[in-house]
Amino acid sequence: MCAIAADPSKRVEPVPRTLTSMGNDFVRFFYAPLLLVGINGAGIALVAAGASRLWLLGLLAAAVVASFTAERLLPYRPEWNEAAGDGGRDAAHAVVNETLILGSVTAIPLLAAVVTVADVWPLGWPIVVQVLFAILVADAGITLVHFASHKVGVLWRFHAVHHSVRRFYGFNGLMKHPLHQSVELTAGVAPLLAIGLPVDVAAALALAVAVQLLLQHSNADYRVGPLRAVLALNEGHRFHHLKWAGAGDVNFGLFTLFWDRLLGTYAFDPGRRFTSEDIGMADKPHYPDGYLAQLVEPFRARGACAADPAAGNRAEQAEA
């Protein structure tokens, strides 16, 4: 059969890509690297150059702006971008907890003088390698305390604040009871202090923790390919926020999923989709929403985690 030449007058022009589609592609494939490599890399470069650590606040602000922008350009669930009476509370948690994290960096010299057991920090390593080493060590301590917080009642009382969320977006990562956050950070940083953690490395680590929490709870529908099986990001962390007893006892890692694989708590199903009906705490549907109320709740009788949901409901009714 002879080929028929195309009529040049009827040539189909390619459809130009819109700014929206290009923005979606950027978020899907480059948002996570922007924060993981760009923001963290800038922080490491600044501390290595001896710049004021106040610059870290600027980088943190840039990360927050990027987080909210990405969530609106390419949301996993559009409704999770809408405040449900929780915007002010979440902002309060974020400001208080980030102030504590960044403020604790200034106390490193004093803490090191008390806690250092052997000043063997590898100062000869490149600064990037030092920060990565600090991240891996901190990841172990924070992950193990997180795991224990789902098993030990007194820890769960405070950790429950974090699991009371009814939507899943960036600021959820910073929504923690300050006492529980302090326990987690102590477990992560104490081993580093014991071997002489430098202040500059601690500052870069503090920024990395904040960036990771934004990414881990992000409502942006970004992709990291095979790295989702290694890094503790939002695709896997949504499983941790399943509201049913036992179902959310998975994927505890902050930075990596290494410890979850070792503990046998890694879980992932690429076909699973989540809605607001899937997250929160099934046995505590009426957990307080206000910031101050959430600070007080762990100290109340009903703040315990009841093995029997009916018992938990009775405790709530008794205090109502």
Side-chain angles (χ1 to χ4, degrees):
M1 180 181 292
C2 297
I4 300 175
D7 183 349
S9 67
K10 296 182 178 179
R11 186 176 59 190
V12 177
E13 295 291 340
V15 178
R17 298 180 67 205
T18 65
L19 289 176
T20 298
S21 66
M22 289 189 289
N24 289 348
D25 287 346
F26 182 86
V27 172
R28 182 173 283 112
F29 300 112
F30 297 104
Y31 166 61
L34 172 66
L35 264 65
L36 287 173
V37 179
I39 296 293
N40 284 326
I44 293 171
L46 286 170
V47 298
S52 169
R53 286 188 290 276
L54 291 177
W55 278 105
L56 297 180
L57 293 175
L59 288 174
L60 176 58
V64 171
V65 170
S67 175
F68 276 87
T69 301
E71 289 175 334
R72 277 146 187 81
L73 286 175
L74 189 66
Y76 176 81
R77 297 206 67 88
E79 64 269 25
W80 285 351
N81 285 337
E82 303 301 322
D86 53 6
R89 176 204 68 196
D90 292 352
H93 276 294
V95 170
V96 170
N97 290 334
E98 277 311 303
T99 299
L100 289 174
I101 291 175
L102 296 175
S104 65
V105 172
T106 63
I108 293 294
L110 178 61
L111 293 172
V114 177
V115 178
T116 300
V117 175
D119 193 0
V120 294
W121 187 265
L123 291 172
W125 293 0
I127 185 67
V128 172
V129 179
Q130 291 183 49
V131 173
L132 288 175
F133 171 69
I135 285 173
L136 291 175
V137 173
D139 187 47
I142 292 171
T143 300
L144 293 175
V145 167
H146 192 180
F147 174 79
S149 297
H150 283 240
K151 308 297 180 182
V152 180
V154 67
L155 288 175
W156 172 256
R157 282 177 171 267
F158 295 92
H159 185 51
V161 170
H162 180 67
H163 280 271
S164 67
V165 298
R166 296 183 177 89
R167 60 186 177 122
F168 196 87
Y169 77 119
F171 262 15
N172 288 161
L174 304 172
M175 181 186 159
K176 298 185 177 186
H177 196 288
L179 290 180
H180 188 268
Q181 177 178 267
S182 298
V183 172
E184 280 190 334
L185 287 178
T186 299
V189 175
L192 297 170
L193 287 172
I195 59 173
L197 173 68
V199 176
D200 286 345
V201 176
L205 174 62
L207 177 64
V209 169
V211 167
Q212 187 67 17
L213 289 171
L214 286 170
L215 279 171
Q216 190 176 63
H217 297 80
S218 177
N219 184 34
D221 197 16
Y222 65 80
R223 299 285 189 271
V224 293
L227 288 176
R228 71 184 183 188
V230 179
L231 302 178
L233 296 173
N234 65 353
E235 285 187 90
H237 198 67
R238 293 186 188 110
F239 290 86
H240 180 73
H241 280 267
L242 287 169
K243 68 181 182 181
W244 300 280
D249 292 342
V250 297
N251 300 350
F252 293 96
L254 174 59
F255 288 101
T256 74
L257 295 167
F258 171 78
W259 292 101
D260 285 291
R261 293 184 180 278
L262 195 63
L263 293 167
T265 56
Y266 172 73
F268 188 75
D269 175 3
R272 182 72 155 87
R273 298 292 295 179
F274 295 82
T275 70
S276 293
E277 298 302 315
D278 299 314
I279 63 175
M281 293 183 289
D283 65 338
K284 290 185 176 297
H286 305 298
Y287 201 87
D289 289 323
Y291 177 71
L292 293 178
Q294 290 190 341
L295 295 188
V296 173
E297 187 68 9
F299 299 98
R300 306 180 70 176
R302 70 185 187 190
C305 179
D308 175 10
N313 291 336
R314 287 194 296 271
E316 289 192 7
Q317 293 168 3
E319 286 205 17

